[in-house]
Amino acid sequence: MNLTMFLQMTGRGWAWRSPRSRIEDLWTLDLPLYMTQEAEKAKLDAIILGNWLHPETGALGQRPFTGGYEPFTLIGALAARTDKIGLVATSSTTFEHPYNAARFLAMLDWLSRGRVGWNVVTSADGEQHYGIELPPKDERYSRAEEYMEVCNGLWDAWDDDAVVNDRTRGYWARPDRIHPIDHEGRYYKAQGQLFMHRSPQGRPVIVQAGQSSAGRDFAARNAEVVFTAQTDIGAARAFRRDLRDRAVAAGRRPDSIKVLPGLSPIVAETAEQARAFEAQLNEWMPLNIGIERMQEILQVELGGLDPDRPIPTERLVSPDDVASIEKTMAPASVSRYRNFYDMAVKDKVTLREMAGRVDRANGHYAPIGSANQIADLMQEWYEAEACDGFVLFATAVPEAFDATCQLLIPELQRRGLARTEYESTTLRDHLGLERPRSPARQSEAGSAVS
């Protein structure tokens, strides 16, 4: 299975309060480098770096911005200190011109020798940092489609055989193999080509996380890895099947997209130890803040409830009626509402535990157990074709992160479900994805080099 790790430098939620957390190392290279090198020792396909632009809605300074590392600059540093693991950066199509994104990513692919991926987001907030008005959701996806067109045109402007390095005749590249773009669309204008030839992967691996119908359509046309939030094996299987069907309708092979649900496990040598650590994480979370966040996510009043009992079903809006309140919901909550609802109604999780799990997992599957139990779950999903692998989250660093790398991954390796050695050097190869070929073009007549 394909396995990646989403880096949150001191864990998720309130885990930074752990006496063992490395909160003092935040914003240094030491912390993400330790995590990336440990993930490489575990032979994971890649690490993924988020790009935190959400405005701070709570008390400023109460929690560290643990997702706030700037991903492009950090990947440049990590590329120099690692050898095989893939490096995926999150960047928005809403706040950056496509020429810059294409240039930065191509450069990083060269610097890493073909290990870079791009997690494409359209952004649901953060516009105030740039002094602009956020376009409506449908328009953000329309802009993203054109954005990808410009980026792909720039990456493909050089044919694979363009550079000849002909010292004898004094030609570095064949001009008939370079195809500057002349794009003038609804949202963007761009001319010319990148000043570097096609990178080792041809294009960076495209990752995308949309779950709405518009997001799935965008993924079907553009994505090679889809990062999704699924908590039910049946729903996950249907999601993967739907995405593969949409890819076929878009003229692609169904296996050209890898579907990786997020998994935020608490894993330990025994289930009892894992449960004890969950209880400790819940103690570090101020309960009133956790409940306030649950009220914001679920759009219901939760005051006066016993925190050690499940939320009464009658307090919650049915997932089938969520459209009635989605205008006031955070965008991420809309697409994951059924996950939250099932946690309360089907799984009967207490309000205290639910607040903790939502704070740590944000709608992703958050199982708790021994390495053997978590591996059983992952194997079941993989063999049921509910996924092609997982995006792993470390709920606490170093505790949960080390347990994932040193207990869970070795168990998957023993079962033959995870690699024990890298067999290739590029991220595309790790993921089992083809390198895009440069477009077939008719050679221009009169080239100076034959």
Side-chain angles (χ1 to χ4, degrees):
M1 59 178 71
N2 293 124
L3 297 170
T4 65
M5 177 74 76
F6 197 103
L7 295 197
Q8 297 243 233
M9 306 310 171
T10 57
R12 296 178 65 85
W14 294 84
W16 68 272
R17 297 180 67 184
S18 165
R20 293 186 59 200
S21 85
R22 295 184 58 177
I23 188 63
E24 290 80 10
D25 291 333
L26 189 62
W27 308 119
T28 70
L29 179 59
D30 294 346
L31 184 52
L33 180 61
Y34 146 73
M35 297 179 74
T36 304
Q37 289 179 336
E38 289 300 308
E40 188 170 55
K41 289 177 186 176
K43 313 303 179 188
L44 300 187
D45 292 328
I47 57 97
I48 301 176
L49 294 170
N51 195 1
W52 192 262
L53 295 174
H54 303 295
E56 178 68 9
T57 55
L60 192 63
Q62 192 164 39
R63 288 203 287 184
F65 301 124
T66 56
Y69 275 83
E70 197 290 305
F72 287 164
T73 49
L74 180 54
I75 277 183
L78 294 173
R81 303 287 295 274
T82 54
D83 296 313
K84 297 292 181 63
I85 194 165
L87 306 164
V88 180
T90 300
S91 181
S92 174
T93 57
T94 300
F95 305 127
E96 186 76 62
H97 191 278
Y99 189 91
N100 280 345
R103 182 188 185 198
F104 297 161
L105 287 158
M107 186 75 260
L108 288 167
D109 204 44
W110 275 112
L111 293 174
S112 66
R113 295 185 174 88
R115 293 187 284 134
V116 164
W118 174 20
N119 181 28
V120 181
V121 297
T122 58
S123 295
D125 51 27
E127 70 278 10
Q128 57 271 65
H129 305 311
Y130 298 89
I132 67 171
E133 184 174 338
L134 197 67
K137 182 176 182 179
D138 290 345
E139 184 179 334
R140 294 200 298 273
Y141 274 113
S142 297
R143 292 171 66 97
E145 290 282 359
E146 186 178 336
Y147 199 105
M148 294 302 305
E149 182 183 348
V150 176
C151 287
N152 289 335
L154 289 166
W155 290 323
D156 293 344
W158 295 75
D159 290 345
D160 283 327
D161 61 353
V163 173
V164 293
N165 292 319
D166 191 334
R167 292 178 173 85
T168 301
R169 291 187 291 175
Y171 284 102
W172 172 56
R174 297 181 55 167
D176 65 323
R177 297 292 194 264
I178 306 171
H179 311 273
I181 69 169
D182 186 7
H183 179 92
E184 184 169 348
R186 181 180 177 186
Y187 303 107
Y188 301 105
K189 293 181 180 180
Q191 294 180 330
Q193 73 289 319
L194 299 178
F195 296 101
M196 66 195 87
H197 52 297
R198 213 155 186 251
S199 70
Q201 293 187 113
R203 303 175 185 174
V205 173
I206 302 301
V207 182
Q208 198 261 349
Q211 294 201 165
S212 66
S213 181
R216 296 187 198 194
D217 284 341
F218 179 85
R221 290 187 290 268
N222 298 285
E224 296 165 293
V225 175
V226 171
F227 169 32
T228 178
Q230 304 290 333
T231 58
D232 176 80
I233 189 171
R237 190 174 182 180
F239 177 88
R240 180 175 180 268
R241 185 167 53 244
D242 174 71
L243 204 55
R244 289 163 69 91
D245 288 346
R246 293 182 193 227
V248 171
R252 302 173 65 192
R253 297 195 324 273
D255 61 355
S256 63
I257 298 180
K258 304 288 185 176
V259 179
L260 307 183
L263 194 71
S264 187
I266 296 178
V267 59
E269 292 186 357
T270 68
E272 292 74 18
Q273 289 173 334
R275 290 286 178 187
F277 190 62
E278 181 197 25
Q280 178 62 77
L281 289 170
N282 287 343
E283 286 185 20
W284 285 323
M285 178 195 69
L287 183 59
N288 65 312
I289 293 177
I291 292 177
E292 286 174 7
R293 179 148 191 250
M294 291 305 306
Q295 290 183 152
E296 181 182 349
I297 288 173
L298 299 174
Q299 294 291 290
V300 294
E301 174 58 47
L302 300 176
L305 295 179
D306 183 346
D308 294 311
R309 295 181 62 84
I311 301 171
T313 303
E314 60 270 17
R315 289 269 184 123
L316 301 173
V317 177
S318 166
D320 298 327
D321 298 330
V322 75
S324 63
I325 58 172
E326 66 179 0
K327 290 183 179 179
T328 58
M329 275 188 173
S333 301
V334 175
S335 61
R336 301 176 186 181
Y337 182 83
R338 186 175 292 275
N339 298 357
F340 302 132
Y341 183 88
D342 287 347
M343 195 184 304
V345 175
K346 187 174 76 172
D347 300 333
K348 301 295 183 184
V349 175
T350 70
L351 175 56
R352 186 190 304 275
E353 292 174 334
M354 188 171 175
R357 293 185 192 181
V358 168
D359 196 53
R360 294 189 298 272
N362 196 28
H364 292 289
Y365 200 1
I368 300 162
S370 66
N372 191 61
Q373 289 171 324
I374 304 300
D376 282 346
L377 180 152
M378 296 171 72
Q379 183 170 359
E380 179 186 9
W381 278 50
Y382 182 66
E383 293 180 348
E385 299 184 347
C387 65
D388 297 289
F390 296 89
V391 176
L392 299 168
F393 292 90
T395 56
V397 179
E399 298 97 332
F401 178 81
D402 287 348
T404 297
C405 291
Q406 298 169 15
L407 296 177
L408 179 58
I409 301 303
E411 177 59 31
L412 294 171
Q413 291 170 335
R414 281 191 287 273
R415 300 179 185 207
L417 294 170
R419 72 167 61 85
T420 56
E421 292 294 338
Y422 288 107
E423 298 176 353
S424 53
T425 58
T426 72
L427 177 55
R428 288 190 173 278
D429 289 340
H430 298 342
L431 294 166
L433 298 170
E434 290 186 355
R435 182 184 187 277
R437 297 179 180 178
S438 54
R441 300 180 178 102
Q442 185 174 358
S443 296
E444 297 176 11
S447 170
V449 180
S450 62

